[in-house]
């Protein structure tokens, strides 16, 4: 009975079916690709990126705009008698010896004596109107909102022009006033020297290049005193200023390096920003005791145009260097072995340049083998050779001779890494001009760069002969 029960239990026992492992080839390929992508992404973010840069032609122009101080030969004329001034020479006008410049009204009665009915309408002639129009147009063309104080200079210039024109009518009545009095009440003053008349003083009249300090360029401390028509003056007071020489200078503060460059040029072309005129200035430099360097640019023309201005904005028109424009981050300095030219020859199956290197076999016997090496630069007598092939202390054999040369001398070259062939290949460059971001280098040199070459943007990210993947 028990045996039958056991047999029944054995017949009712159910065993779990195990499916066989079936590998799908598509799943395997997908897994492999997925793992590869993960590895590539990890390598991409964990390694420093190499970025290429296409070399193009270009130019660099530096900011050569300066605010300079005008230095002229100026003579301040003082008054002999006290009284009220009346000017008859327009500011900025050239006068000759003997020309009437101003009168002194000792009593101030001249303006009261002359009545509107006696002077007429005082209408301006076409010439007078043209003079005023020129004054207004010159101001309008050169005015900038950032230099609002120029309006006051313009105001005084126009006042001077109008007063001069009006004073000619006053002058016709001055003799009548003198004749009506027992003594002469109007004194006439004529020019003793020829020059340009200026009706302002500023204590800069006697400045020279050797007197310059940076304090003179601080316009917040600058004061310009205008000499106004019909004002009361005392004996000994300044009444006008005379600029007696057409030769004049503009002094600008510069660094010592630029000063040396300008002195070497001797003459520099300058653009005056007020009217965009250009002129050539003779260069002279001076460094004061504080170590500040100044450059004086002396001109033989245009003084009359700027005779009333002390601070003048100019631009130095230095030559802009043109060549291959590359970023400074691509530039690297590398050392090379310097070998006499007579030890470099052509050989091997490729006919490339190389050297005959003395080597030793396993038995210690001396042998000579031809080793290809790249030339990176040359002088009249020497080559700069790759230091990855040669070692210091190697002996080179002179072709068709038994003379030897011990490799030891090294020299540095400035260059970039060219990546046209897919690896970092050093190319020497000759820098023509450089600023903070870019350099202009000479194009089409024997061992250098050409336009449209690709170089490494950041030279610190590669080493010689590294493969480059962009």
């Amino acid at each position: 009975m028990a045996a039958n029960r056991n047999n029944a239990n054995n017949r009712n026992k159910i065993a779990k079916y195990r499916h066989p492992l079936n590998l799908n080839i598509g799943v395997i390929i997908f897994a492999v690709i997925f793992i590869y992508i993960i590895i590539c992404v990890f390598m991409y973010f964990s390694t420093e990126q190499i970025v290429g840069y296409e070399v193009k032609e270009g130019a660099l122009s530096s900011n050569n705009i300066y605010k300079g101080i005008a230095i002229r030969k100026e003579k301040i004329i003082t008054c002999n008698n006290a009284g009220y001034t009346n000017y008859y020479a327009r500011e900025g006008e050239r006068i000759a010896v003997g020309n009437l410049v101003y009168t002194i009204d000792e009593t101030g009665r001249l303006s009261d004596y002359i009545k509107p009915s006696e002077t007429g309408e005082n209408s301006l002639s076409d010439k007078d109107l043209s003079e005023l129009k020129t004054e207004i147009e010159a101001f309008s063309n050169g005015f900038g909102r950032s230099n609002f104080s120029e309006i006051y200079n313009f105001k005084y210039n126009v006042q001077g022009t109008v007063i001069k024109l009006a004073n000619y009518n006053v002058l016709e009545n001055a003799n009548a006033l003198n004749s009506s009095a027992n003594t002469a009440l109007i004194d006439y003053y004529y020019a003793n020297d020829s020059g340009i008349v200026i009706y302002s003083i500023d204590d800069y009249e006697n400045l020279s290049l050797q007197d310059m300090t940076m304090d003179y360029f601080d316009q917040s401390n600058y004061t310009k005193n205008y000499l106004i028509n019909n004002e009361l003056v005392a004996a000994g007071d300044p009444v006008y200023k005379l600029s007696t020489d057409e030769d004049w200078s503009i002094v600008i503060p510069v660094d010592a390096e630029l000063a040396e460059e300008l002195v070497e040029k001797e003459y520099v072309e300058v653009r005056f920003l007020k009217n965009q005129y250009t002129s050539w200035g003779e260069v002279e430099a001076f460094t004061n005791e504080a170590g500040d360097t100044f450059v004086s640019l002396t001109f033989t023309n245009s003084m009359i145009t700027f005779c009333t201005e002390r601070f003048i904005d100019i631009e130095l028109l230095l030559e802009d260097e043109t060549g291959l424009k590359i970023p400074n981050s691509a530039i690297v300095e590398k050392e090379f072995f310097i070998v006499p030219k007579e030890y470099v020859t052509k050989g091997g199956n490729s006919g490339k340049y190389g050297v005959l290197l003395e080597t030793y076999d396993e038995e210690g016997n001396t042998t000579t083998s031809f080793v290809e090496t790249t030339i990176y630069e040359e002088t009249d007598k020497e080559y700069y050779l790759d230091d990855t092939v040669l070692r210091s202390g190697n002996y080179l054999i002179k072709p068709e001779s038994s003379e030897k040369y011990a490799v030891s001398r090294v020299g540095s070259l400035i260059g970039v890494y060219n990546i046209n062939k897919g690896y970092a290949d050093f190319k020497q460059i000759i820098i023509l001009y450089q600023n903070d971001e870019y350099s202009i280098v000479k194009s089409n040199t024997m061992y250098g760069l050409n336009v449209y070459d690709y170089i490494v943007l950041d030279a610190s990210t590669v080493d010689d002969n590294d493969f480059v993947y962009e």
Side-chain angles (χ1 to χ4, degrees), residues 58-62 64 316-323 433 440:
L60 292 180
S61 56
S62 57
N64 291 318
L316 303 183
L317 300 180
L318 305 179
E319 295 181 2
D320 293 339
E321 297 288 357
T322 303
Y433 184 79
I440 297 297

Side-chain angles (χ1 to χ4, degrees), residues 90 108 134 249 271 274 298-299 305 307 313 326 333 403 417 420:
R90 179 181 177 273
T134 301
S249 303
R271 175 184 289 117
K274 177 181 179 180
T298 301
F299 307 94
T305 305
C307 64
D313 293 322
I326 63 172
E333 184 175 2
E403 295 182 31
Y417 286 116
N420 289 349

Side-chain angles (χ1 to χ4, degrees), residues 421-441:
K421 299 177 182 178
Y423 62 90
D425 183 19
F426 182 90
K427 294 292 183 180
Q428 188 227 6
I429 59 173
I430 300 174
I431 299 177
L432 301 175
Y433 184 79
Q434 189 175 50
N435 63 18
D436 293 337
E437 296 182 358
Y438 290 92
S439 294
I440 297 297
V441 304

Side-chain angles (χ1 to χ4, degrees), residues 348-402:
N349 296 328
S350 62
K352 292 184 178 181
Y353 282 101
V355 293
L356 299 177
L357 181 64
E358 183 181 78
T359 59
Y360 297 90
D361 59 19
E362 295 179 355
E363 299 177 356
N365 298 321
T366 303
T367 61
T368 301
S369 60
F370 177 80
V371 177
E372 289 185 8
T373 181
T374 305
I375 299 173
Y376 289 92
E377 174 60 330
E378 66 176 281
T379 63
D380 292 339
K381 297 182 179 181
E382 298 169 323
Y383 285 122
Y384 285 71
L385 302 183
D386 191 356
D387 64 350
T388 61
V389 177
L390 302 177
R391 295 291 182 269
S392 180
N394 286 159
Y395 280 95
L396 307 181
I397 308 300
K398 186 176 180 179
E400 300 180 0
S401 171
S402 60

Side-chain angles (χ1 to χ4, degrees), residues 206-251:
N206 296 318
L207 269 183
S208 67
L209 175 62
Q210 288 68 29
D211 298 325
M212 280 296 165
T213 67
M214 291 303 298
D215 292 338
Y216 285 111
F217 290 85
D218 185 0
Q219 289 185 261
S220 63
N221 298 328
Y222 176 75
T223 302
K224 187 174 185 179
N225 297 313
Y226 292 93
L227 306 175
I228 309 300
N229 186 76
N230 203 30
E231 278 199 345
L232 180 64
V233 296
D237 285 351
V239 284
Y240 70 95
K241 183 168 61 181
L242 200 63
S243 187
T244 59
D245 198 327
E246 185 66 23
D247 292 350
W248 65 299
S249 303
I250 294 179
V251 177

